[in-house]
């Protein structure tokens, strides 16, 4: 957050657009008063029975003593919270309320403090922004619940320190020790017209939306000084780059142009190369950030590489124009140094974040391969890799998997009898890696041990339940990762690892029993057909005394240290030694000059969120990665699925581009056979998508989301909205409906200016520059494109704006 600006004096050289040097204002925010709408009480006062609140409709509530009161700052934003809790209603339970602004106001960004009160996955709450010109726009807030059980640890927990240090809430008069949060979410607001009101979502019966605070960042309407710049944030990250042999820290600087979008002109924009540096005691900028264009209502994020930052130091952001003259300086930002040694400490590890390569990669291949690839069967809308669970839940004829098993294999065949048929006899690591490359993927994540506890690597003295001792008698993880490293080093290598072995959900692995909880007490699996013995063996198990100490942690550490994984993609979460693991993982990689990452299912410390068979409706600024099978509802191979149902080139490309336009990555899953073959229709569809990425990948890889919006809010009727992505030198419009009549229309003002060239990305190289126009006053962009070019492309039509750089 910005500390009060101090005045920096620079020699009075004249600057181009600002007419001199400017001290930038703090990024503004104004809390909107909500108390008139309060209709729910979230907090109970400890020891005061008369204060009992019912936040979630089930008698549960926050503990009032840990909630901040009054005017409250978070991430540089001001919110107005109740002056006291546990007395009166203190939050707004959404029910179509219409909140009118005191007067219509041009708004740059809108900020929410909220929590949903459901039990499951995040759910979408749709707010409507209503403007003076009678237009309105919906924004999807992907609402996280206030507490989370197993999947999806609370993403924002580390960003609201005040709250996460007290991870509990009241359950009636007792306590529930799950994490308990209030989350923050921000969205850009269109500014062609002033914002008049905000309509809350309708009431819901579950996953109800509670709003604790709203704050707006108003636009600046005075255009006389050129672009209205303000530093949204200067964040000293844990990412680094080797710059001329120096380990330099990335400082992520976000610069806003607070003017409303309709004022866009060269006079109100940055239109040529500006550089961004950090200046402060001891700090040296070794590689500045570069901004070539920043139009009204937009924000630009750049990495500035520095050395010498220290704990609690200060630095200012300095912007130079294309002539190298300092044109603007921000107030002070707090510095924090790069981490040289990761300690098993949540406050330190919690600062870790996804590396630049992961942010740029966008597209990965997920591989679900294991003993479940032998039966390879599930009824519609079930995961085939869950076969071991599915045959016994319930163990009777109402269960299609139970019936399938009985009919196909008979009652005497148990799950572990499938191990010898998991042969990997046709597995060719080179062929797999070659396919991922031709598919256009920049990383892969191999399942190394699923919930059935069968590992595809050498698990040493932790268990013999693995592919080295049993089944193929090969170290499949080593084969794939080593081959990839040798043959396609630019493709990053990741490992899925299930933290529990079924019994967080069932109770198969006897070693997990002591960690079982709630509905899942742990223990050996019951035979689904009641044959004697009723409890099934757990083939390969060794006599270890503690699952976490003797199996989970050493296996994870091995994947990090022996197998050099770059992505630890955990599943399920639950009991864990992730603090110890993460410290080892990060230190090992750092010692080799590598940067690695971990998802949000390791029980702790997520770098990124992982929606499953789900994507988000709006830009989510916290890093996320959506995973889905190429099969419409299975990760493991499901022979009951008709290959015609697989995601085809169109679905893969449009899903990928949609996700990327909203700041996510796409992890597309395939399920090889027990022999290690990837079946032909999966290969064909992957390669189809790869063909498109081959000529249009510049609109996907190494791009960023565009702050003012991921897509056209008003596409022509009957068409799918084109998606937007950006780079420092380009802007992309990716149409999802085939352009008709030789024209593409975008009903939103884009950062396109006279002198820019627009080309169509097509096989054999980009088209020659196309004719285009921008209509005023709407800002609508119309691009002319030849119909034969359009017909030469399938799946999606990518138009790349090349900024004119002076
Ligand atoms: C918006 O709608 C109101 C009520 O229907 C109408 O009075 C007003 O003229 C409209 N404003 C614009 C800018 O169209
Ligand atoms: C988390 O919440 C669930 C559901 O209310 C409850 O069953 C469980 O015991 C809680 N966990 C802890 C550690 O309190
Ligand atoms: C931009 O500034 C120039 C020089 O001050 C002026 O002539 C021109 O009209 C301005 N353009 C716009 C669109 O405001
Ligand atoms: C940094 O500042 C925080 C408060 O802002 C303080 O708690 C902490 O002790 C300081 N650390 C050092 C190393 O000065
Ligand atoms: C199968 O088991 C489930 C769960 O115990 C039960 O609800 C269902 O009635 C049973 N169905 C049959 C056909 O036995
Ligand atoms: C494995 O795949 C590679 C690449 O496709 C191919 O060159 C090689 O011949 C294959 N090896 C075997 C044993 O089939
Ligand atoms: C397993 O180890 C425990 C002690 O760690 C020992 O008491 C027990 O006899 C061992 N069981 C077997 C089957 O080796
Ligand atoms: C496995 O081997 C390691 C290193 O040799 C040792 O530290 C560990 O105690 C062993 N684990 C078990 C369960 O025997
Ligand atoms: C992971 O382990 C930590 C303790 O090391 C615990 O606080 C946390 O709740 C665990 N995560 C889950 C999801 O159980
Ligand atoms: C699979 O899909 C194709 C094409 O839609 C169809 O012709 C075929 O009958 C389907 N097969 C099965 C087994 O459903
Ligand atoms: C691709 O799949 C989508 C969704 O199932 C379908 O609508 C579309 O027609 C398919 N495209 C082709 C070329 O088969
Ligand atoms: C662009 O417009 C000009 C003038 O109307 C025309 O001559 C030219 O052919 C057009 N170019 C393309 C690529 O359509």
């Amino acid at each position: 957050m910005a500390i009060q600006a101090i005045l920096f004096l620079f020699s009075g050289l004249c600057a181009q657009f600002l007419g001199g040097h400017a001290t930038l204002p703090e990024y503004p925010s104004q809390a909107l008063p909500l108390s008139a709408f309060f209709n729910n009480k979230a907090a109970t006062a400890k020891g005061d029975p008369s204060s009992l609140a019912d936040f979630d409709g089930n008698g549960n509530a926050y503990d009032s003593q840990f909630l901040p009161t009054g005017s409250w700052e978070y991430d540089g934003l001001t919110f107005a919270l109740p002056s006291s809790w546990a007395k009166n209603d203190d939050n707004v339970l959404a029910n179509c309320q219409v909140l009118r602004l005191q007067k219509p106001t041009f708004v740059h960004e809108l900020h929410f403090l909220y929590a949903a009160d459901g039990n499951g996955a995040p759910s979408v709450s749709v707010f409507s922004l209503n403007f003076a010109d009678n237009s309105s726009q919906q924004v999807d807030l992907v609402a996280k619940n206030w507490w989370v059980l197993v999947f999806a640890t609370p993403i924002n927990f580390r960003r609201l320190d005040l709250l996460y240090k007290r991870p509990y809430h009241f359950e009636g008069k007792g306590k529930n020790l799950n994490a308990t949060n209030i989350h923050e979410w921000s969205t850009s607001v269109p500014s062609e017209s002033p914002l008049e009101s905000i309509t809350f979502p309708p009431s819901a019966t579950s996953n109800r939306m509670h709003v604790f605070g709203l704050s707006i960042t108003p636009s600046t309407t005075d255009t006389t000084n050129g672009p209205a710049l303000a530093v949204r944030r200067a964040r000293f990250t844990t990412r680094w780059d080797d710059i001329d042999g120096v380990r330099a820290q990335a400082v992520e600087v976000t610069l806003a142009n607070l003017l409303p979008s309709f004022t866009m002109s060269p006079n109100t924009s940055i239109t040529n190369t500006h550089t961004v540096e950090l200046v402060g005691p001891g700090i040296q900028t070794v590689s500045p950030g570069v901004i070539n264009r920043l139009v009204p209502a937009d924000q630009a994020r750049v990495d500035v590489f520095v050395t010498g930052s220290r704990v609690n130091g200060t630095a200012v952001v300095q912007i130079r124009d294309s002539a190298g003259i300092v044109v603007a300086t921000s107030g002070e930002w707090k510095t924090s140094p790069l981490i040289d040694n990761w300690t098993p400490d949540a406050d330190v590890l919690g600062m870790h974040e996804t590396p630049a390569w992961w942010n740029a990669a966008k597209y990965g291949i997920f591989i679900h391969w294991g003993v479940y690839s032998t039966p390879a069967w599930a009824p519609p809308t079930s995961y085939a890799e869950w076969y071991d669970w599915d045959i016994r839940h319930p163990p009777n004829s109402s269960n299609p998997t139970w019936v399938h098993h009985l009919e196909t294999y008979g009652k005497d065949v148990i799950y572990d009898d499938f191990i010898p048929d998991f042969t990997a006899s046709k597995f060719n690591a080179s062929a797999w890696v070659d396919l991922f490359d031709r598919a256009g993927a920049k990383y892969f994540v191999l399942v190394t041990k699923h919930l059935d506890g069968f590992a595809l690597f050498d698990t040493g003295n932790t268990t013999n339940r693995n592919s080295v001792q049993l089944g193929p008698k090969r170290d499949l993880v080593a084969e794939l990762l080593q081959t990839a490293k040798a043959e396609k080093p630019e493709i990053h290598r990741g490992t899925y690892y299930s933290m529990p072995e079924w019994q967080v959900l069932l109770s198969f692995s006897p070693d997990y029993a002591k960690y079982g909880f709630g509905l899942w007490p742990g223990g050996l699996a019951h035979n689904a057909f009641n044959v004697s013995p009723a409890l099934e063996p757990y083939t390969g198990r060794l006599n270890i005394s503690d699952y976490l100490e003797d199996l989970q942690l050493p296996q994870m550490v091995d994947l990090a240290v022996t197998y050099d994984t770059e992505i630890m993609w955990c599943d399920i979460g639950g009991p864990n030694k992730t603090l110890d693991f993460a410290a080892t993982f990060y230190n090992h990689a750092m010692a080799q000059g590598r940067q690695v990452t971990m998802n949000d299912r390791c029980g702790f410390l997520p770098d990124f969120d992982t929606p499953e068979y789900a994507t988000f409706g709006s830009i989510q600024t916290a890093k996320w990665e959506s995973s889905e099978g190429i099969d419409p509802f299975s990760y493991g191979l499901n022979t009951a699925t008709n290959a015609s149902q697989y995601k085809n080139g169109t679905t893969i490309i449009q899903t990928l581009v949609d996700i990327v336009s909203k700041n996510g990555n796409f992890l597309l899953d395939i399920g090889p056979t027990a022999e290690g073959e990837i079946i032909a229709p999966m290969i064909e569809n992957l390669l189809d998508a790869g063909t498109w990425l081959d000529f249009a990948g510049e609109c996907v890889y190494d791009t960023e989301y565009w702050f003012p919006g991921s897509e056209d809010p008003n596409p022509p009727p009957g068409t799918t909205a084109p998606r937007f992505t950006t780079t420092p030198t380009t802007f992309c419009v990716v149409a999802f409906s085939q352009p008709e009549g030789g024209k593409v229309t975008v009903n939103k003002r884009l950062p396109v200016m006279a002198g820019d060239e627009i080309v169509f990305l097509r096989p054999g190289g980009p088209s020659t520059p196309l004719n285009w126009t921008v209509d005023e006053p709407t800002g609508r962009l119309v691009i002319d494109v030849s119909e034969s070019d359009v017909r030469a492309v399938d799946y999606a039509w990518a138009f790349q704006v090349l900024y004119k750089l002076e």
Side-chain angles (χ1 to χ4, degrees):
M1 112 192 24
I3 301 162
Q4 268 311 326
I6 57 153
L7 202 59
F8 267 70
L9 294 173
F10 291 91
S11 53
L13 295 165
C14 79
Q16 285 175 349
F17 62 74
L18 295 165
H21 171 258
T23 301
L24 299 178
E26 274 191 47
Y27 189 77
S29 69
Q30 291 170 6
L32 298 178
L34 286 181
S35 55
F37 292 93
F38 284 169
N39 59 353
N40 174 267
K41 194 170 143 198
T44 292
K46 196 174 181 179
D48 176 0
S50 73
S51 74
L52 281 185
D54 182 4
F55 170 68
D56 65 350
N58 292 316
N60 306 322
Y62 291 85
D63 183 339
S64 64
Q65 66 177 313
F66 300 125
L67 293 172
T69 56
S71 179
W72 185 66
E73 257 202 34
Y74 165 70
D75 192 24
L77 307 170
T78 303
F79 291 95
L81 291 171
S83 52
S84 66
W85 298 89
K87 295 198 176 68
N88 305 307
D89 285 349
D90 49 32
N91 72 90
V92 185
L93 182 56
N95 180 20
C96 292
Q97 294 91 341
V98 179
L99 176 75
R100 286 188 184 287
L101 271 59
Q102 259 177 355
K103 61 175 196 320
T105 307
F106 288 105
V107 175
H108 180 77
E109 193 172 17
L110 173 63
H111 316 278
F112 298 75
L113 272 188
Y114 79 91
D117 66 15
N119 287 346
S123 55
V124 175
S125 283
V126 184
F127 287 80
S128 176
L129 310 179
N130 312 309
F131 299 92
D133 66 0
N134 288 345
S135 69
S136 63
Q137 185 168 324
Q138 299 197 328
V139 290
D140 286 7
L141 195 172
V142 181
K144 291 164 182 134
N145 290 312
W146 67 316
W147 71 275
V148 186
L149 185 51
V150 180
F151 282 83
T153 48
I155 289 105
N156 291 335
F157 78 120
R158 67 179 192 242
R159 297 186 202 130
L160 282 175
D161 299 6
L162 204 61
L163 303 182
Y164 110 81
K165 285 186 177 153
R166 288 96 189 173
Y168 73 83
H169 57 259
F170 292 123
E171 205 161 59
K173 287 176 188 158
K175 266 187 192 176
N176 179 307
L177 299 179
N178 290 291
T180 302
N181 289 291
I182 292 175
H183 306 286
E184 195 273 339
W185 189 78
S186 294
T187 179
S188 68
V189 177
S191 51
E192 290 292 307
S193 174
L195 181 67
E196 255 183 9
S197 66
I198 301 165
T199 308
F200 283 49
S203 63
T205 49
S206 62
N207 289 326
R208 303 179 308 172
M209 162 58 65
H210 297 254
V211 179
F212 289 86
L214 277 182
S215 182
I216 55 169
T217 296
S219 303
T220 301
T221 47
D222 178 3
T223 59
T224 52
N225 296 319
L229 303 181
V231 174
R232 167 73 183 89
R233 201 185 285 113
R235 204 166 59 78
F236 285 70
T237 74
T238 57
R239 291 184 285 112
W240 80 87
D241 203 353
D242 186 313
I243 294 181
D244 300 331
V246 173
R247 183 166 172 258
Q249 178 182 24
V251 183
E252 185 193 82
V253 176
T254 305
L255 188 66
N257 182 347
L258 296 173
L259 291 173
S261 55
F262 71 86
T263 68
M264 192 175 108
S265 85
N267 295 5
T268 58
S269 305
I270 289 180
T271 57
N272 56 22
T273 304
H274 283 58
T275 54
V276 182
E277 293 162 53
L278 270 295
V279 176
I283 303 238
Q284 211 177 351
T285 296
V286 294
S287 174
V290 175
I291 295 176
N292 294 305
R293 178 152 309 178
L294 182 60
V295 299
D298 200 356
Q299 295 188 355
R301 287 166 307 284
V302 293
D303 277 347
V304 181
F305 288 91
V306 305
T307 56
S309 56
R310 49 183 177 227
V311 182
N312 292 352
T314 59
V316 300
V317 175
Q318 205 172 67
I319 298 163
R320 288 177 193 271
D321 68 11
S322 51
I325 295 164
V326 174
V327 290
T329 305
S330 78
E332 289 191 337
W333 293 85
K334 201 162 146 181
T335 67
S336 69
L338 264 187
I339 290 168
D340 290 322
N341 178 36
W342 295 94
T343 51
D345 170 353
D347 287 333
V348 175
L349 293 164
M351 293 192 290
H352 195 269
E353 61 188 271
T354 53
W357 65 255
W358 188 91
N359 300 341
K362 308 299 185 194
Y363 184 33
I365 301 289
F366 206 1
I367 309 135
H368 271 66
W369 192 36
V371 173
Y372 45 84
S373 308
T374 304
W377 194 89
T381 75
S382 293
Y383 290 162
E385 68 279 11
W386 277 57
Y387 192 93
D388 193 8
W389 150 270
D390 282 343
I391 31 175
R392 45 196 120 229
H393 288 89
N396 68 31
S397 61
S398 71
N399 170 357
T401 307
W402 186 90
V403 172
H404 169 81
H405 189 90
L406 190 62
E407 287 174 352
T408 314
Y409 305 103
K411 68 178 171 51
D412 294 327
V413 172
I414 62 168
Y415 185 75
D416 278 4
D417 290 336
F418 291 131
I419 294 174
D421 296 326
F422 175 60
T423 63
S425 56
K426 295 178 183 163
F427 170 53
N428 178 338
S430 295
W432 282 25
V433 174
D434 194 48
L435 171 66
F436 305 158
D437 188 31
R438 288 161 62 210
K442 300 298 180 193
Y443 62 101
F444 65 81
V445 177
L446 172 66
V447 170
T448 66
K449 183 195 80 171
H450 206 261
L451 287 155
D452 62 4
F454 188 90
L456 271 51
F457 61 106
D458 183 356
T459 49
N461 63 358
T462 66
T463 179
N464 286 334
R465 191 172 175 79
N466 65 45
S467 66
V468 179
Q469 306 288 334
L470 306 169
K473 305 267 172 65
R474 285 161 72 177
D475 188 333
L476 304 171
V477 175
E479 284 185 39
L480 187 64
L481 269 61
Q482 285 168 10
T483 301
K485 188 176 181 183
E487 297 177 6
K488 303 277 178 195
E490 68 285 2
I491 295 184
H492 291 273
R493 306 169 296 274
T495 48
Y496 164 109
Y497 181 83
S498 173
M499 305 292 285
E501 294 181 10
W502 276 132
Q503 50 311 309
V504 162
L505 301 171
L506 310 186
S507 58
F508 293 0
S509 163
D511 301 315
Y512 199 78
K514 81 186 242 202
Y515 293 107
F517 60 95
L519 298 173
W520 310 300
L524 283 173
H526 288 266
N527 186 285
F529 304 97
N530 286 322
V531 289
S532 182
L535 290 180
E536 291 189 9
Y538 203 59
T539 311
R541 174 182 182 257
L542 294 178
N543 190 18
I544 58 172
S545 57
D546 182 75
Y547 178 82
L548 299 188
E549 276 295 340
D550 296 337
L551 191 146
Q552 188 196 73
L553 178 62
Q555 288 186 359
M556 289 172 77
V557 166
D558 255 2
L559 289 171
V561 171
T562 309
Y563 293 82
D564 283 345
T565 189
E566 300 179 86
I567 303 165
M568 183 49 95
W569 209 105
C570 301
D571 202 0
I572 311 292
N576 66 89
K577 297 254 169 205
T578 296
L579 283 179
D580 294 309
F581 166 71
T584 304
F585 183 33
Y586 297 157
N587 284 328
H588 172 74
M590 186 168 61
Q592 299 181 349
R594 297 187 292 121
Q595 294 174 78
V596 295
T597 189
M598 194 163 84
N599 74 348
D600 63 346
R601 302 182 183 189
C602 301
F604 231 171
L605 308 166
D607 284 354
F608 60 94
D609 308 341
T610 53
E612 180 163 324
Y613 271 94
T615 60
F616 292 150
S618 295
I619 292 165
Q620 306 297 316
T621 50
K623 282 289 169 194
W624 59 285
E625 178 200 64
S626 192
S627 73
E628 288 186 26
I630 198 165
D631 182 293
F633 206 88
S634 183
Y635 290 88
L637 177 66
N638 185 359
T639 53
T641 303
N642 190 333
S644 67
Q645 295 172 261
Y646 289 163
K647 291 185 177 63
N648 58 27
T650 304
T651 313
I652 294 171
I653 290 302
Q654 295 195 359
T655 306
L656 171 63
V657 173
D658 173 59
I659 288 170
V660 169
S661 74
K662 299 182 170 80
N663 195 33
N665 278 16
F666 186 31
L667 185 60
L668 176 64
D669 177 85
I670 53 171
T673 65
E675 292 75 34
E677 282 187 311
I678 300 165
I679 62 175
M682 288 192 189
I683 293 180
E684 281 160 23
N685 296 6
L686 289 178
L687 292 181
D688 282 349
T691 314
W692 188 91
L693 286 164
D694 228 21
F695 60 80
E698 283 185 18
C699 285
V700 175
Y701 308 121
D702 207 6
T703 61
E704 288 235 37
Y705 68 93
W706 184 48
F707 172 78
S710 59
E711 61 208 64
D712 182 348
N714 295 305
T719 67
T720 309
R723 302 305 201 266
F724 309 134
T725 60
T726 68
T727 76
T729 54
T730 63
F731 184 91
C732 284
V733 173
V734 184
F736 283 2
S737 294
Q738 179 166 329
E740 305 266 355
K743 291 204 184 302
V744 182
T745 304
V746 179
N747 289 304
K748 182 163 175 93
R749 192 182 299 275
L750 303 180
V752 182
M753 292 185 156
D756 290 348
E757 289 186 344
I758 303 184
V759 295
F760 177 54
L761 302 183
R762 53 177 194 186
S767 70
T768 53
L770 305 173
N771 287 333
W772 58 270
T773 53
V774 173
D775 300 345
E776 292 299 347
T778 59
R780 179 201 348 234
L781 170 71
V782 181
I783 308 169
D784 293 339
V785 60
S786 101
E787 303 219 39
S788 62
D789 274 359
V790 163
R791 281 194 301 269
V793 170
D794 284 323
Y795 318 141
W797 295 264
F799 297 84
Q800 187 183 41
V801 179
L802 304 159
Y803 296 151
K804 179 189 175 202
L805 299 176
E806 287 154 23

